[in-house]
Amino acid sequence: MKLIIQIPCFNEADQLPATLADLPDEVAGFDIVERLVIDDGSTDETIAVARAHGVDHIVRLTNNKGLAAGFQAGLDACLKLGADVIVNTDADNQYYGPDISRLVVPILAGRADMVVGDREVTGIEHFSPLKKTLQRLGSWVVRQASSTSVPDTTSGFRAYNREAAIQLLVVSKFTYTLETIIQAGKQLVAIDHVPIRTNPKTRESRLFPSMGAYVRRNAVSIFRIYAQYEPLRVFWSLSALIGVVALAVWIRFVVSYIDGGGKGHVQSLILGAVLFIAAVVLFALGVIGDLLAAQRVMTQKTFERVRRIELELKVAPSHYEPGVLPTGDLNEERDPGKNETTDPALIGRAGAEEHEAVRS
């Protein structure tokens, strides 16, 4: 059994050493534990620091594509490197590394395909009361949208078994945390959660410039993701709401007309007509969205089949570099477009052997 711990990074040269030092070298239930750093177009020494601390694998994206894209690239590489279980953690050392052993227990026991670490945000000292309230409210909304019971939906400390990772497809450009939970809930992937510990705060979040931006972006993300999976419910609910308002406006006009004052309320008749047309348009959008949702399901299945074919054919990971360079190249930058071998399993074993040699 192989476990790969992936760490998405963007200019994390200062934080990465502590994060890597906190990760376990051995986890019960696994024969091999490897670490993979996803460099999302960093302009600092993130890659050099990662190599200096003996990471096994590196995925180097050519420019900053965002957290969601980095997460997806990491999943793809981990699968092609032969991972049976993938753990995702943040590069700012927010999560307590040794709790990985807790995180993988439900997967090893066969109870879950995906496990989310619960930070129990009410007990985090550096979270303000407002942030704790928003976290709980946002998690409640995601639980309703995904039909899951995950208490901390924005936690990036997660574990996936191979089957769950193969099925995941992140299309959001902003964050993967909410989308993967809603997607897993709609696809009936078995999800569990375990309490985990956190480390003291080391820096401010780079994802959200302000609390207002945090609320706005997450709200838009939840709506967009949910609408992708439940377009009929979203658009028909809005259509029904606007239709009721149109009916109320028309009733007001009819009452005034019966009382003899209808000529003075012609604007109510016009407003009701406009609202009714809007309701019909939303109803039609729901039907179109449902047809598109069916196409999305077929696209998802096609993506899954293509990924399985790539794994069967042992296609090398994109943007991949070994963490420890081959002997003689330690002072050289490796050409990202050059692969010494196309067998990811051999690449992983070679990197692990180099890693052990450096440590000894």
Side-chain angles (χ1 to χ4, degrees):
M1 288 279 285
K2 177 188 279 192
L3 169 67
I4 296 184
I5 306 167
Q6 71 169 35
I7 313 166
C9 298
F10 176 63
N11 291 338
E12 295 288 2
D14 295 334
Q15 309 296 331
L16 194 55
T19 302
L20 293 172
D22 204 35
L23 298 178
D25 293 321
E26 296 181 357
V27 177
F30 295 94
D31 304 307
I32 303 173
V33 177
E34 296 178 349
R35 295 172 293 175
L36 179 144
V37 163
I38 305 138
D39 176 41
D40 189 19
S42 297
T43 56
D44 65 357
E45 298 300 315
T46 294
I47 291 292
V49 170
R51 286 206 169 103
H53 287 79
V55 300
D56 302 277
H57 312 287
I58 294 172
V59 172
R60 188 195 296 211
L61 303 182
T62 51
N63 64 322
N64 182 237
K65 302 180 186 300
L67 180 59
F71 171 81
Q72 186 73 56
L75 280 187
D76 182 73
C78 288
L79 287 169
K80 291 175 179 176
L81 291 165
D84 296 292
V85 176
I86 302 166
V87 167
N88 185 86
T89 189
D90 288 352
D92 61 358
N93 201 31
Q94 174 184 175
Y95 307 107
Y96 184 62
D99 279 352
I100 287 175
S101 58
R102 293 185 183 181
L103 201 63
V104 298
V105 167
I107 291 178
L108 292 174
R111 300 195 307 268
D113 302 309
M114 170 181 170
V115 183
V116 180
D118 176 15
R119 293 170 293 179
E120 300 179 317
V121 294
T122 55
I124 299 179
E125 295 181 358
H126 62 266
F127 277 19
S128 66
L130 176 59
K131 187 171 184 178
K132 292 177 181 179
T133 300
L134 292 175
Q135 287 277 3
R136 292 198 300 271
L137 176 61
S139 293
W140 178 84
V141 172
V142 174
R143 285 197 297 273
Q144 305 312 305
S146 62
S147 301
T148 64
S149 60
V150 178
D152 186 6
T153 57
T154 58
S155 171
F157 198 46
R158 303 173 172 211
Y160 303 86
N161 67 11
R162 192 170 180 82
E163 283 301 310
I166 287 174
Q167 296 177 48
L168 281 182
L169 175 60
V170 179
V171 297
S172 170
K173 294 182 179 180
F174 172 57
T175 179
Y176 65 89
T177 55
L178 306 178
E179 181 174 356
T180 51
I181 289 179
I182 295 175
Q183 184 179 129
K186 296 303 178 183
Q187 293 178 341
L188 303 181
V189 173
I191 307 177
D192 200 354
H193 56 88
V194 296
I196 53 102
R197 290 163 286 183
T198 58
N199 294 316
K201 182 179 179 180
T202 57
R203 63 165 172 76
E204 296 295 332
S205 172
R206 295 173 180 170
L207 286 177
F208 313 105
S210 65
M211 189 64 69
Y214 170 81
V215 174
R216 183 177 65 256
R217 290 181 180 180
N218 274 346
V220 171
S221 294
I222 292 171
F223 177 80
R224 289 182 62 187
I225 297 164
Y226 184 71
Q228 288 177 6
Y229 289 91
E230 298 287 353
L232 277 180
R233 180 174 295 179
V234 170
F235 288 103
W236 283 12
S237 296
L238 292 174
S239 175
L241 177 63
I242 293 178
V244 168
V245 175
L247 183 61
V249 172
W250 277 341
I251 291 174
R252 178 176 181 270
F253 171 78
V254 170
V255 170
S256 298
Y257 186 82
I258 293 174
D259 290 340
K263 293 182 179 180
H265 293 84
V266 175
Q267 66 272 22
S268 296
L269 185 63
I270 297 173
L271 176 60
V274 171
L275 291 174
F276 179 75
I277 292 172
V280 171
V281 170
L282 285 171
F283 184 89
L285 286 176
V287 174
I288 295 172
D290 189 56
L291 296 174
L292 292 175
Q295 293 294 323
R296 182 196 54 75
V297 171
M298 288 189 284
T299 302
Q300 177 84 23
K301 294 297 182 182
T302 302
F303 169 81
E304 182 182 335
R305 287 177 179 269
V306 170
R307 179 172 268 176
R308 290 184 187 278
I309 292 171
E310 287 186 346
L311 294 175
E312 184 68 25
L313 295 177
K314 301 185 184 303
V315 177
S318 300
H319 306 288
Y320 176 82
E321 301 178 20
V324 179
L325 293 174
T327 305
D329 294 338
L330 293 176
N331 296 322
E332 300 177 7
E333 283 293 329
R334 181 177 177 275
D335 181 1
K338 180 181 178 182
N339 283 324
E340 284 73 16
T341 175
T342 58
D343 186 341
L346 292 178
I347 292 173
R349 287 197 293 273
E353 290 170 0
E354 293 281 357
H355 184 193
E356 291 301 322
V358 169
R359 284 188 174 183
S360 60

